[in-house]
Amino acid sequence: MIAAPSRNFRAACLLLCCCFLVLILPSLVFGTQLRLTSDTILQSFERDLPDARGQKALPAYQYLQIDYGDREEAALSFHGYGWMRINLGDDYFDDTTTGQLLYAYLEYDFPTLDFVGRLGRFYVFEGVANVAVDGIYGRSQLPHGLTLSAYAGQPAALSSTNGRSGDYVFGGRISHHRIGRYEVGLSYKALANDGGNDEHFAGFDSFFFLPGRISLQGSSVYNLKTDGWAEHFYELRLPLGPVEFRPFYQRYRFDDFFIESDSSAFPFRFLAGTGNTLEVMGAEAFLYVDERFELAGVYKHYEYGKRFGSADYYSLISTWKIKILSQVGIELGRMDGDQARDRFTLARGFFYWDMRPWFVTGDAILVDYDRPIFGKDQAWFASLGLGRGLMGERLKVKFSFDYSDDPYLDNNFRTTLAAHYLYD
């Protein structure tokens, strides 16, 4: 009697089949309407868990993006992106094989009518919306500088939360603009799980072009369910010769920003009901000395209404570009805060060296805490990678080795073999 194939053997065969389909699919489609992007990643690492030390893992990931349609003329097009993970040699992950379809939708672009429509699973990033929807979307340019967009369907993130009965999401945005002057918009979103009104937001966003290449942008979000301002973000961009100065202000009120409902898919809903607030203010400055050298400085002040106290972060980053694609950089940072975890000095060095068809990457970070955290006063991270471009740079293969040691993970080793394939 012939023994049945092992679980690891079947998983490896499935991964090989996926890679084979990625390579042969372009030859099965005629014309130049297909764009295919594939990322295959094989990892090996070891983790120490509270109840089990030295847990080894050998996962393989496949990411696939497909775009099909006529790029020159107005027509119907298809866009899809998803990922799959296969466990090749351990029991670290709960499920041997898992994956997710991130988006897959048909899009119709009708430029003569200034209309774009989508049907399927898609993401909406407009105004207060930051959501994946299984449904329908439309956006149209109207006369007198008006733009109207709307969407409706079921939230994709809730598809596995107590079923899909009673789930819905809808919203839209209306904006007015004058080219080279400004754009202002009003938006709305309502989301429910099992018929309950979990999210009910309205917002305002704006972008102003001012004289001297100065610009001001920002947004404010109001939680109609809790009757309070959830978020404010505003940034000014001020060019001063070779320096660009960017002061900013952010404010979050946790009771209004985070979703408290048990049926919500929001992962940080436990922060709702704490009554806490967070204000972040500061500035970024960029000095462009020439085409090869760039210097950046960052200052951020964090202020919590309850617990955690306050903290100030200072950072200086310099980057040198060599031979167009190669670059070397360093970063020095300092965090001074009321909490022990918020008092540290940071040093980082990174590089990317292009030696066509080969390339080498490196990144190293050292964090030195003023006081030990869980018995450790330092955190380390180091990564070194070597790669090569093949098939006229359509295929890039890279092997990297990562090491980290910090107060939360002891001696974490990781190796990664990644293949990036582009058919265009």
Side-chain angles (χ1 to χ4, degrees):
M1 183 177 68
I2 300 176
S6 67
R7 182 187 64 184
N8 296 337
F9 177 78
R10 294 195 301 268
C13 290
L14 180 58
L15 180 63
L16 289 175
C17 290
C18 292
C19 296
F20 179 71
L21 287 175
V22 167
L23 293 175
I24 69 168
L25 183 58
S27 64
L28 302 179
V29 181
F30 297 98
T32 59
Q33 297 181 332
L34 177 68
R35 180 183 177 90
L36 181 67
T37 305
S38 168
D39 289 280
T40 304
I41 302 174
L42 177 63
Q43 291 185 334
S44 174
F45 61 88
E46 183 175 311
R47 288 281 172 83
D48 291 331
L49 300 179
D51 56 347
R53 298 182 64 85
Q55 292 290 300
K56 296 181 179 180
L58 187 63
Y61 297 86
Q62 175 64 50
Y63 298 83
L64 183 63
Q65 177 180 343
I66 300 175
D67 298 284
Y68 183 78
D70 195 324
R71 304 169 197 164
E72 302 298 332
E73 300 179 3
L76 189 68
S77 62
F78 172 79
H79 307 272
Y81 184 60
W83 67 273
M84 178 180 67
R85 187 192 73 223
I86 298 174
N87 186 14
L88 297 178
D90 62 273
D91 294 321
Y92 179 80
F93 295 102
D94 293 335
D95 296 323
T96 299
T97 302
T98 187
Q100 185 178 11
L101 182 64
L102 299 179
Y103 63 78
Y105 61 89
L106 293 172
E107 179 176 280
Y108 188 76
D109 191 352
F110 204 157
T112 58
L113 295 180
D114 290 326
F115 174 80
V116 175
R118 295 174 182 171
L119 178 65
R121 172 171 294 186
F122 50 85
Y123 281 89
V124 181
F125 300 102
E126 294 181 355
V128 297
N130 182 359
V131 62
V133 180
D134 291 336
I136 189 170
Y137 166 88
R139 184 183 72 247
S140 181
Q141 298 278 352
L142 304 176
H144 309 296
L146 290 174
T147 302
L148 178 65
S149 64
Y151 57 91
Q154 292 184 313
L158 299 178
S159 60
S160 60
T161 306
N162 300 325
R164 308 205 68 176
S165 177
D167 297 353
Y168 64 82
V169 60
F170 66 89
R173 178 177 180 265
I174 185 170
S175 65
H176 185 268
H177 73 275
R178 291 186 64 181
I179 297 177
R181 297 289 185 86
Y182 67 85
E183 180 176 349
V184 294
L186 297 174
S187 57
Y188 172 82
K189 182 184 77 170
L191 183 149
N193 186 35
D194 298 330
N197 188 7
D198 288 342
E199 300 182 27
H200 201 192
F201 289 103
F204 166 81
D205 60 270
S206 61
F207 194 103
F208 293 94
F209 298 94
L210 305 176
R213 297 187 297 114
I214 301 173
S215 64
L216 174 65
Q217 62 178 323
S219 62
S220 294
V221 179
Y222 192 81
N223 191 326
L224 297 169
K225 184 177 180 181
T226 60
D227 197 22
W229 289 103
E231 174 187 2
H232 298 285
F233 170 75
Y234 290 90
E235 180 186 70
L236 177 69
R237 297 195 175 188
L238 182 62
L240 299 172
V243 179
E244 183 173 272
F245 189 58
R246 300 180 184 178
F248 61 87
Y249 174 78
Q250 303 173 33
R251 188 179 190 277
Y252 306 90
R253 189 171 185 271
F254 289 7
D255 289 359
D256 303 309
F257 184 81
F258 297 105
I259 310 303
E260 190 174 9
S261 171
D262 292 336
S263 61
S264 170
F266 205 89
F268 300 105
R269 58 179 178 267
F270 66 90
L271 292 174
T274 61
N276 209 350
T277 60
L278 171 62
E279 288 184 288
V280 184
M281 61 192 75
E284 299 176 339
F286 300 88
L287 172 61
Y288 305 99
V289 179
D290 53 39
E291 295 181 353
R292 298 178 56 186
F293 180 69
E294 177 182 326
L295 188 65
V298 178
Y299 168 71
K300 292 183 179 182
H301 174 75
Y302 301 85
E303 188 74 38
Y304 286 91
K306 296 182 179 180
R307 300 179 65 188
F308 309 129
S310 62
D312 294 280
Y313 181 70
Y314 314 82
S315 176
L316 185 65
I317 307 170
S318 59
T319 305
W320 294 269
K321 296 181 180 180
I322 307 169
K323 297 180 180 180
I324 302 178
L325 296 178
S326 300
Q327 66 175 14
V328 179
I330 59 173
E331 177 182 0
L332 297 175
R334 173 66 190 175
M335 175 76 87
D336 283 313
D338 296 331
Q339 301 288 315
R341 65 182 182 182
D342 294 332
R343 298 188 63 84
F344 60 83
T345 301
L346 179 146
R348 179 193 178 205
F350 57 92
F351 72 89
Y352 177 90
W353 199 264
D354 185 72
M355 304 175 296
R356 297 290 179 95
W358 296 90
F359 60 91
V360 184
T361 62
D363 200 340
I365 302 174
L366 169 64
V367 177
D368 186 67
Y369 295 97
D370 291 3
R371 289 181 290 177
I373 299 177
F374 299 126
K376 290 187 176 183
D377 58 7
Q378 287 186 339
W380 289 84
F381 170 81
S383 176
L384 183 64
L386 175 65
R388 178 183 170 89
L390 302 167
M391 301 170 60
E393 297 297 318
R394 287 190 301 164
L395 174 63
K396 290 186 177 181
V397 180
K398 178 183 176 182
F399 176 81
S400 62
F401 175 80
D402 302 338
Y403 168 77
S404 64
D405 183 65
D406 56 56
Y408 308 99
L409 285 175
D410 292 330
N411 297 321
N412 180 32
F413 297 91
R414 180 192 299 266
T415 58
T416 302
L417 179 62
H420 175 82
Y421 174 71
L422 172 65
Y423 174 83
D424 193 353

